[in-house]
Amino acid sequence: MRQYIQQLLNGCIEGFHRDGVLPADFVPSFTVENTKDKKNGDFATNLAMILCRRMGRPPRAVAEMIVAALPASDRIAKVEIAGPGFINFFMNADHVAAAVYAMSQDPRLGVPLTAAPETVVVDYSSPNVAKEMAVHHIRSTVIGDSVVRVLEFLGHQVIRANHVGDWGTQFGMLIAYLEKMENEGADSLAVADLEAFYRSAKVLYDEDQEFAARARSYVVRLQGGDEYCRSMWKKLVQMTMDLDQQIYDRLGVSLKMEHVMGESLYNPMLPEIAGDLERRGLAVTDQGALVVFLEEFKGKDGNPMGVIIRKSDGGYLYTTTDIACAKYRVEHFHASRILYFIDSRQHDHLIQAWTIARKAGYVPENVSLEHESFGMMLGKDGRPFKTRSGGTVKLSELLDEAESRVASLLEGRGSELTGEERQEVIHAVAMGAVKYADLSKNRTTDYIFDWDSMLSFEGNTAPYLQYAYTRIRSVFRKTDGTPGPVKITCPQEEQLALKLLRFCEVVEQVAQKGMPHLLCTYLYELSGLFMSFYESCPVNRSGIEEKIRSSRLSLCAATAGVVKTGLSLLGISVLEKM
Ligand code: ARG
């Protein structure tokens, strides 16, 4: 609807350009808003106010010109000029009704496949080997996976890239420690506690000189491609990814082993890139290291910032890898968009890598590199999220706690459920609540992890939406009517219908901005409108005219479809009963 009005207005602007009343090079950016007060119609635009100066006329006069230039449309009942020069559009209720009915029967709920499919690489999750997934990995995993689903739903080709931290000098120590454990007969399951494994390895490294020397020799051998060290390294990667995979599966995250494209993948490219940057004069030798000085970034001393490409000992860094990785994604996948779901603290790092990749021509202008950054997860006290004793919270334990909290919340409810159904409800609600709590906040800010608010059946939470869905579905279990053409008979129906028709626009926005919270807010508001509709517009009450019942059942069907599809795009499942 909104896009339709935007199109009509763009037509007017083109006409003004042709007629010479508006300078041809002036492309206005204007808004078409959903009005709050329905007295002002369904949509309003500020276009006249944006054009008036350039057209040298008062805004109301420009508004009149726009209205006169609009083509006749059976979708619009009435257009009015209001206040200083707003133009209000009243949609034709019959058209709204027909559109919503069509939507209720469309498995894609009115969301078309994109006309311009792109290849999009999405870099997300990206945990580190031999480390427990940390809080910033959870955020990246959950938000990234939702955006992946949305892009795929729109018909884009998506490449999931799990940029696992699987390389670095710590691997000498980790290999040496794994070797020691294997010699002592411990099976690899002893590594199930990755934090403890890493810590013990580090303690030994700091205390035992012989061990430390062996560790250092292993780094050199690993980098030289030594078979034994490589196989030990592979074991470490595999053990970590097996544990991480359990978490992905439990959370319903679509990442699989085949999506792992760790830092090590880019190793073979690094010497070549260093040489190339040097040949082109982008990188220079500075105190033995190879450095790119970026004029556009000044360090504290006011001098251009130096980004190290190769250390004086010959080693490469995280940034060098990200330069290679951006190049690879362009050359190998022909990506036109590359999205990085990474913690906001790595913003400078990314910008440096990208600036160099662009200067070297590895990433052409028409490929967009986007940092979908996010803030931290904080505890209720506003401090970084930690256990009571100050340690890192293990994700698996967090998910266990979510399930046990949901189990006690549901105690006494839904008694008609079988044991198996109950388990399914507990799992879906618990995982949904944890994910939704993260997804529903604007990702650019920090967010407070709070059990009580995320598990509440009221407010903008997953349990609320899952419950709303079961209520809609129960309408169908109780009815003997069948859905049919929609007829708008009251304001609640109209508001619900107009909101339903916005689904498409919201999904497209999530894809564009990488912001799933827009979809959460939309689903929450939609459910609210559904509840008011349901209270004032009975569906199954006896005495309701058959045609009205059918119409309302279609509104219910469209709402159920949007809530279910919307939640699945967030990676959250719905239930028939709870
Ligand atoms: N492994 C990194 C970390 O734990 C995140 C990697 C993000 N992706 C990238 N291309 N740098 O912080």
Side-chain angles (χ1 to χ4, degrees):
M1 289 276 158
R2 194 158 87 162
Q3 278 160 336
Y4 175 70
I5 294 172
Q6 243 149 9
Q7 272 167 26
L8 293 183
L9 293 170
N10 281 329
C12 294
I13 294 167
E14 277 167 32
F16 291 164
H17 283 152
R18 263 196 315 277
D19 299 346
V21 289
L22 181 69
D25 58 352
F26 181 63
V27 183
S29 76
F30 61 98
T31 57
V32 175
E33 304 275 7
N34 291 269
T35 49
K36 300 238 159 48
D37 183 350
K38 293 296 155 191
K39 276 207 311 279
N40 300 327
D42 301 307
F43 297 96
T45 180
N46 63 351
L47 179 61
M49 274 92 99
I50 303 287
L51 295 184
C52 60
R53 280 240 322 268
R54 296 306 193 103
M55 290 177 63
R57 277 167 233 244
R60 283 191 71 104
V62 174
E64 276 164 31
M65 290 173 72
I66 296 171
V67 174
L70 285 172
S73 162
D74 58 2
R75 298 196 203 179
I76 295 169
K78 185 166 73 160
V79 184
E80 271 179 10
I81 299 170
F86 286 107
I87 304 173
N88 296 337
F89 295 85
F90 295 76
M91 302 311 291
N92 179 337
D94 289 340
H95 173 75
V96 170
V100 140
Y101 181 47
M103 177 175 179
S104 72
Q105 296 184 306
D106 173 6
R108 294 190 53 86
L109 299 150
V111 183
L113 287 169
T114 174
E118 292 190 80
T119 299
V120 189
V121 173
V122 185
D123 180 318
Y124 71 112
S125 192
S126 310
N128 297 319
V129 168
K131 289 240 177 104
E132 203 70 44
M133 256 202 233
V135 169
H136 66 276
H137 300 119
I138 311 171
R139 294 211 73 186
S140 172
T141 304
V142 168
I143 303 174
D145 203 50
S146 167
V147 173
V148 160
R149 287 164 190 264
V150 168
L151 288 165
E152 279 182 342
F153 182 63
L154 290 174
H156 295 290
Q157 209 219 325
V158 177
I159 290 149
R160 293 162 173 78
N162 195 351
H163 193 85
V164 171
D166 63 357
W167 204 250
T169 45
Q170 73 276 24
F171 279 94
M173 167 187 99
L174 294 169
I175 291 172
Y177 192 67
L178 178 63
E179 174 185 75
K180 179 170 146 42
M181 287 185 73
E182 283 185 351
N183 287 344
E184 287 165 8
D187 60 35
S188 54
L189 281 181
V191 189
D193 187 349
L194 294 173
E195 288 300 312
F197 179 86
Y198 202 100
R199 238 180 295 121
S200 322
K202 183 81 174 72
V203 167
L204 205 58
Y205 184 84
D206 291 338
E207 284 172 359
D208 182 337
Q209 298 219 347
E210 198 190 314
F211 178 83
R214 194 168 338 121
R216 277 191 296 270
S217 76
Y218 282 166
V219 181
V220 179
R221 280 172 60 184
L222 178 67
Q223 285 169 348
D226 170 84
E227 194 120 342
Y228 169 73
C229 285
R230 268 198 89 80
S231 77
M232 291 295 272
W233 166 79
K234 272 201 185 133
K235 271 193 216 167
L236 287 162
V237 175
Q238 194 59 48
M239 283 175 333
T240 308
M241 292 324 294
D242 286 346
L243 289 173
D244 289 343
Q245 190 61 47
Q246 283 172 19
I247 294 201
Y248 295 149
D249 293 346
R250 188 168 179 196
L251 272 174
V253 165
S254 65
L255 282 169
K256 297 273 174 293
M257 199 56 208
E258 76 230 42
H259 303 124
V260 170
M261 291 177 217
E263 293 176 21
S264 62
L265 176 69
Y266 309 101
N267 283 344
M269 295 171 69
L270 304 182
E272 197 183 299
I273 285 181
D276 188 47
L277 294 175
E278 194 170 14
R279 264 194 307 285
R280 295 178 194 219
L282 282 167
V284 292
T285 306
D286 187 57
Q287 296 169 36
L290 188 66
V291 183
V292 175
F293 287 98
L294 293 174
E295 293 289 342
E296 45 279 79
F297 302 98
K298 298 267 188 266
K300 284 203 186 72
D301 52 5
N303 291 329
M305 166 160 14
V307 180
I308 300 181
I309 298 296
R310 191 181 57 218
K311 293 187 292 180
S312 53
D313 67 4
Y316 296 98
L317 295 163
Y318 186 50
T319 305
T320 324
T321 305
D322 261 316
I323 296 171
C325 156
K327 183 174 191 276
Y328 180 85
R329 289 169 181 177
V330 171
E331 282 172 4
H332 190 266
F333 295 118
H334 308 290
S336 56
R337 259 184 106 184
I338 313 177
L339 312 184
Y340 293 73
F341 285 86
I342 313 181
D343 178 356
S344 57
R345 289 170 300 183
Q346 294 192 29
H347 187 69
D348 289 348
H349 152 76
L350 277 181
I351 297 298
Q352 288 162 18
W354 294 349
T355 306
I356 296 170
R358 293 250 192 230
K359 281 191 174 179
Y362 302 152
V363 181
E365 220 45 69
N366 60 5
V367 174
S368 87
L369 296 166
E370 300 165 40
H371 182 193
E372 315 290 359
S373 85
F374 50 82
M376 297 207 284
M377 181 154 129
L378 306 175
K380 242 180 153 175
D381 56 359
R383 316 259 300 271
F385 191 66
K386 290 267 157 67
T387 58
R388 265 192 218 117
S389 58
T392 31
V393 179
K394 274 201 186 178
L395 191 45
S396 53
E397 283 168 9
L398 186 101
L399 299 182
D400 291 343
E401 180 163 354
E403 290 191 341
S404 71
R405 281 177 183 258
V406 171
S408 40
L409 272 179
L410 292 180
E411 204 85 35
R413 279 175 86 136
S415 42
E416 73 275 19
L417 298 178
T418 66
E420 201 176 308
E421 282 172 341
R422 226 188 137 64
Q423 262 336 101
E424 197 196 327
V425 170
I426 290 172
H427 177 73
V429 172
M431 298 305 120
V434 171
K435 291 173 90 172
Y436 194 89
D438 194 339
L439 291 165
S440 58
K441 316 285 185 311
N442 183 328
R443 63 171 161 70
T444 56
T445 53
D446 293 346
Y447 105 92
I448 310 238
F449 187 93
D450 174 19
W451 286 116
D452 296 327
S453 62
M454 78 174 73
L455 292 173
S456 168
F457 280 82
E458 267 148 58
N460 189 10
T461 65
Y464 169 77
L465 290 173
Q466 287 168 320
Y467 182 60
Y469 179 79
T470 60
R471 283 210 22 202
I472 312 172
R473 295 295 303 154
S474 76
V475 175
F476 288 93
R477 278 197 296 279
K478 290 185 203 135
T479 198
D480 41 14
T482 43
V486 173
K487 203 172 146 41
I488 307 267
T489 62
C490 64
Q492 287 84 357
E493 289 173 328
E494 189 184 12
Q495 296 223 14
L496 177 63
L498 283 168
K499 190 80 180 180
L500 283 166
L501 293 175
R502 291 192 55 199
F503 181 52
C504 164
E505 169 192 326
V506 174
V507 172
E508 277 162 11
Q509 270 180 17
V510 175
Q512 227 171 58
K513 300 188 180 163
M515 290 189 155
H517 78 278
L518 298 169
L519 179 55
C520 298
T521 309
Y522 168 81
L523 292 174
Y524 176 56
E525 290 173 357
L526 177 72
S527 303
L529 290 174
F530 178 82
M531 295 302 178
S532 336
F533 153 81
Y534 193 62
E535 269 157 38
S536 43
C537 309
V539 181
N540 289 328
R541 190 187 297 162
S542 63
I544 298 283
E545 204 187 312
E546 206 42 56
K547 279 203 175 135
I548 304 257
R549 185 189 322 260
S550 293
S551 159
R552 290 181 180 167
L553 281 171
S554 289
L555 286 170
C556 291
T559 310
V562 167
V563 172
K564 182 176 181 172
T565 304
L567 284 176
S568 86
L569 292 175
L570 295 168
I572 295 174
S573 39
V574 291
L575 301 150
E576 288 300 310
K577 286 191 258 174
M578 58 192 277

